[in-house]
């Protein structure tokens, strides 16, 4: 899914996939222009998925606030 540039339009759907798909072990979301708002949806979904080990969020627009939110 990297490089699609879907912005936050698909963040809700991606969050649902992460939340419900417990066989998913990695996901590449780099270069999608995800903002802090989209990041919040994804981080909340990660709380329900303990199998996802790798998530690539390189080159998005989450900013310092999103980085801190993700780290918590």
């Amino acid at each position: 899914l990297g490089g699609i540039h879907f912005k936050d339009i698909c963040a809700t759907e991606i969050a649902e996939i992460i939340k419900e798909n417990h066989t998913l072990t990695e996901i590449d979301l780099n270069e999608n222009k995800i903002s802090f708002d989209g990041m919040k949806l994804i981080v909340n979904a990660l709380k329900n998925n303990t199998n996802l080990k790798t998530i690539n969020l390189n080159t998005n627009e989450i900013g310092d606030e999103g980085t801190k939110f993700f780290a918590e």
Side-chain angles (χ1 to χ4, degrees):
L1 297 174
I4 296 174
H5 298 204
F6 57 68
K7 300 183 181 180
D8 287 340
I9 295 169
C10 294
T12 302
E13 289 82 6
I14 296 297
E16 282 299 313
I17 290 168
I18 291 170
K19 183 179 175 181
E20 295 179 14
N21 186 330
H22 296 282
T23 60
L24 187 67
T25 58
E26 63 182 75
I27 190 166
D28 181 359
L29 299 174
N30 75 319
E31 294 185 41
N32 279 304
K33 299 184 179 185
I34 298 169
S35 74
F36 176 59
D37 290 335
M39 170 59 58
K40 288 190 287 187
L41 295 170
I42 292 168
V43 168
N44 286 329
L46 287 170
K47 294 175 183 176
N48 294 305
N49 186 325
T50 58
N51 291 323
L52 186 64
K53 303 299 181 200
T54 305
I55 184 167
N56 183 350
L57 294 166
N58 190 34
T59 317
N60 280 288
E61 300 173 354
I62 61 174
D64 292 340
E65 187 178 20
T67 302
K68 289 177 188 175
F69 189 81
F70 184 77
E72 293 174 358

